[in-house]
Amino acid sequence: MPVPTAAHAQWASQRWPGTDTTALQHGRTLYIDNCARCHNLYLPGAFTEKEWVDIMPKMKKKARITDSEADSILRYVLSSAAIQPLPVQQTIEMEQ
């Protein structure tokens, strides 16, 4: 999973003021620790922002995480996808 950098934090702080690399790293840790319990982890760029936003409420319930934890995960995956999107070929292969 991508490790948050200053570029990720800069992108995220434009959307969620005050978000820094520490907050994004927390989201990454939550993503790895909670989501991998039930399924393989997806690279953040594997889904569009809309898909992540639609997926998160369902997964939040299944993983039994708080709203705050789900928000941290969402910030992590969206900032990672924005800074390190998957090449088109990888995206197509993952959908098949």
Side-chain angles (χ1 to χ4, degrees), residues 43 85-95:
L43 288 173
L86 286 177
V88 173
Q89 185 62 35
Q90 275 188 286
T91 303
I92 292 169
E93 288 174 4
M94 291 184 78
E95 291 174 359

Side-chain angles (χ1 to χ4, degrees), residues 34-83:
N34 289 286
C35 303
R37 282 193 235 156
C38 297
H39 59 78
N40 291 330
L41 295 176
Y42 294 95
L43 288 173
F47 298 107
T48 66
E49 179 174 342
K50 181 183 179 332
E51 290 169 327
W52 278 117
V53 169
D54 290 346
I55 290 167
M56 192 56 64
K58 297 170 200 151
M59 294 297 105
K60 177 184 137 326
K61 187 174 180 179
K62 287 183 179 187
R64 298 181 183 169
I65 58 175
T66 66
D67 289 342
S68 177
E69 290 169 326
D71 184 58
S72 292
I73 293 169
L74 192 60
R75 289 180 188 206
Y76 165 70
V77 295
L78 294 182
S79 65
S80 293
I83 300 300

